[in-house]
Amino acid sequence: LESASSLEEWEKPKFEATMQEAIRILSTALPPDPNLKKPEAGLLDTSHPFCYVREFEEKSEESSDAGGDESSHGGDTGTVDDEEMEQQLRMLDDVVAQAFASSTDLYRTLLLRATAQTLLENWDTITTVTSGDIDRAAVAKTAIQPQRSTVNAKDVQKLFDCYSNESSKEWVRSWWNLIDADKDGLIDEEELTTVVDFAIKPVHLALTDMVNMSLEVCPLRTVALGSNETNDWFLGGDNITDIHTSSEALNPSSSESKAIKKLSWRNRRRELKARKALTKTFAATLERHFRDQVEVPHRLRCIYAWADKSHQGNKLDSILVDASEEWGAASSIVGSKRFVELEPKILYEEFRKEQERHFPHLDHIGEEVAMSFKEDLWVSQGKGRQNRELRNQCVLFLLGVSLVDVVI
């Protein structure tokens, strides 16, 4: 992208070729098809960082202080078993810490690939000129095409830089600059909705790839890992020393540490069924969360309406458009002139001021999706328990009725 940015503007063929090449490069060493039609139930790849994703957790200061107190008390009555356990826990912490760093890099790669896919699929949306800009150009007697023929290469490069190193605040700003063709910092309400949708979409694509890859390298159910305990550690009680040795490289493309445990047909069926239910729930979360639960369209309308916009004095601008040239001879029937009300445009700083108050979800998109997914899983588990209880009660009722009928 840096070499291609010497060209100030990219036309559609150059733009598409660059995005396709970016996707090809970013897909190197990644699974070519994350949505396997027949996933291997029981596959465990301890060299892949996503294998340890269930062990990632935020460590608070209170938990770290409590851990220090426990270790100090353990030193007084230290035994051989305690020392071995502490050594294994330290090994596990090292493995998880290294896996977390590798997972972060891998997630950024998936995010960049998703950004390239979003750009490639939305050329028409990015380059389409809004009706308000067309009406303004008609008043100014300047010719304007309904769709731009180029995009700014530096804005595209800045977009990738933000998704690789910056926060979601800068993601929105970079999309804002890309959509703003005239570079005056102003966009209208329609373009504002496009900017927010484009800022969210790469995160959805990257998280989907991450979930699919995680299910490929580690079984969903612990029974596939040699453990019948539902609350057991997710690697099924395997020797942590062996895991530490096999995971030192943490190379997703390595096949030496991949192991497939032979499952019975019943456990295999349950594993595949659990995977299907989990991916279906996650897809529903992505589709519903921002649209229905956060109500993004409603929030954006409120932000746009409540923002103190400097453009046009924050008022509607009623303009007279001469349509005689546009309609030709038919202008005598439909009228040669018409009034058009133009909404004021909004600056990024004006949007940001209201967004921090009324739409803070945009500052942590991935966290919002993860929390909503967790709540959806809780609801799904609750429905499962409720259905089982209802089924048991129905069976008992039918048995009771049958017994009474037999006695009578």
Side-chain angles (χ1 to χ4, degrees):
L1 287 174
E2 292 180 358
S3 60
S5 295
S6 58
L7 298 175
E8 184 66 21
E9 300 289 332
W10 282 344
E11 295 183 350
K12 185 176 182 179
K14 174 66 175 177
F15 175 82
E16 291 182 344
T18 305
M19 294 302 104
Q20 290 173 356
E21 180 66 14
I23 294 173
R24 186 191 66 81
I25 294 174
L26 293 169
S27 299
T28 304
L30 294 178
D33 185 11
N35 300 312
L36 296 178
K37 295 182 180 179
K38 294 182 179 180
E40 300 180 44
L43 176 63
L44 175 65
D45 183 5
T46 55
S47 69
H48 201 290
F50 284 170
C51 180
Y52 307 91
V53 71
R54 302 177 215 184
E55 292 297 301
F56 300 159
E57 61 181 11
E58 185 178 359
K59 189 173 182 180
S60 61
E61 295 181 358
E62 296 179 358
S63 61
S64 61
D65 294 340
D69 295 340
E70 290 177 0
S71 62
S72 62
H73 290 302
D76 298 337
T77 61
T79 63
V80 176
D81 294 337
D82 292 339
E83 292 179 358
E84 291 179 356
M85 178 61 69
E86 290 180 2
Q87 184 180 4
Q88 285 199 348
L89 290 177
R90 283 194 296 269
M91 286 184 180
L92 176 60
D93 289 340
D94 293 340
V95 171
V96 173
Q98 186 180 0
F100 180 78
S102 300
S103 297
T104 302
D105 296 337
L106 186 54
Y107 174 69
R108 287 287 184 177
T109 303
L110 294 173
L111 199 57
L112 290 174
R113 186 175 68 173
T115 303
Q117 291 174 347
T118 303
L119 288 168
L120 182 61
E121 296 170 358
N122 293 278
W123 166 268
D124 293 338
T125 305
I126 294 172
T127 57
T128 298
V129 180
T130 61
S131 58
D133 289 335
I134 294 177
D135 290 336
R136 288 186 174 90
V139 173
K141 303 297 183 181
T142 58
I144 185 173
Q145 297 296 325
Q147 190 169 9
R148 291 184 285 151
S149 59
T150 62
V151 295
N152 189 276
K154 292 183 178 179
D155 289 339
V156 176
Q157 179 187 355
K158 179 63 176 176
L159 184 65
F160 279 91
D161 291 340
C162 290
Y163 272 96
S164 61
N165 299 308
E166 304 295 340
S167 63
S168 56
K169 173 184 175 182
E170 297 300 325
W171 301 349
V172 176
R173 184 190 291 271
S174 60
W175 280 109
W176 191 291
N177 295 332
L178 182 63
I179 296 296
D180 180 23
D182 50 10
K183 305 305 175 187
D184 59 356
L186 295 167
I187 63 175
D188 57 21
E189 186 177 4
E190 179 182 350
E191 292 173 323
L192 175 61
T193 302
T194 301
V195 165
V196 174
D197 290 341
F198 283 170
I200 295 174
K201 187 174 181 180
V203 181
H204 283 184
L205 295 175
L207 288 177
T208 301
D209 291 339
M210 183 176 179
V211 169
N212 292 328
M213 292 174 65
S214 300
L215 294 177
E216 288 179 14
V217 298
C218 186
L220 183 61
R221 303 171 65 245
T222 56
V223 68
L225 295 157
S227 173
N228 293 321
E229 298 294 334
T230 57
N231 297 324
D232 200 358
W233 181 53
F234 81 97
L235 287 179
D238 290 346
N239 193 339
I240 299 178
T241 307
D242 296 337
I243 295 170
H244 183 271
T245 303
S246 63
S247 61
E248 286 179 350
L250 285 177
N251 182 12
S253 62
S254 175
S255 60
E256 297 179 356
S257 55
K258 294 180 181 179
I260 301 178
K261 181 179 176 60
K262 296 297 183 180
L263 300 178
S264 64
W265 69 270
R266 186 184 299 275
N267 282 330
R268 176 180 172 80
R269 180 175 177 272
R270 288 178 177 176
E271 174 70 17
L272 297 179
K273 185 178 179 180
R275 286 192 189 188
K276 183 177 180 180
L278 187 73
T279 53
K280 183 178 179 180
T281 303
F282 187 73
T285 299
L286 294 180
E287 182 179 359
R288 294 196 302 259
H289 177 64
F290 279 100
R291 185 193 64 189
D292 300 335
Q293 297 178 0
V294 180
E295 297 182 325
V296 170
H298 175 68
R299 289 178 185 270
L300 291 180
R301 286 195 299 269
C302 293
I303 289 173
Y304 176 81
W306 296 339
D308 187 12
K309 299 177 285 292
S310 59
H311 184 243
Q312 297 178 183
N314 199 15
K315 298 179 181 179
L316 287 174
D317 190 6
S318 182
I319 60 175
L320 182 65
V321 178
D322 189 355
S324 57
E325 297 181 359
E326 178 182 354
W327 292 96
S331 61
S332 58
I333 300 175
V334 300
S336 60
K337 296 182 180 181
R338 58 189 175 93
F339 279 97
V340 177
E341 290 186 342
L342 297 178
E343 299 279 351
K345 292 187 174 184
I346 186 172
L347 289 168
Y348 175 78
E349 291 74 16
E350 298 166 348
F351 163 76
R352 178 65 182 171
K353 182 179 178 181
E354 297 296 329
Q355 179 258 315
E356 288 180 333
R357 296 170 54 193
H358 306 293
F359 190 15
H361 317 73
L362 194 60
D363 292 338
H364 35 82
I365 302 172
E367 183 180 351
E368 281 289 321
V369 173
M371 295 300 295
S372 179
F373 181 48
K374 181 177 69 173
E375 293 174 358
D376 289 343
L377 288 178
W378 285 346
V379 172
S380 177
Q381 293 172 357
K383 288 182 178 178
R385 288 192 297 269
Q386 184 179 12
N387 292 336
R388 285 193 298 271
E389 292 176 359
L390 179 61
R391 183 169 58 250
N392 294 336
Q393 292 174 0
C394 291
V395 170
L396 292 176
F397 173 76
L398 292 176
L399 288 176
V401 172
S402 300
L403 291 175
V404 172
D405 187 55
V406 170
V407 173
I408 294 176

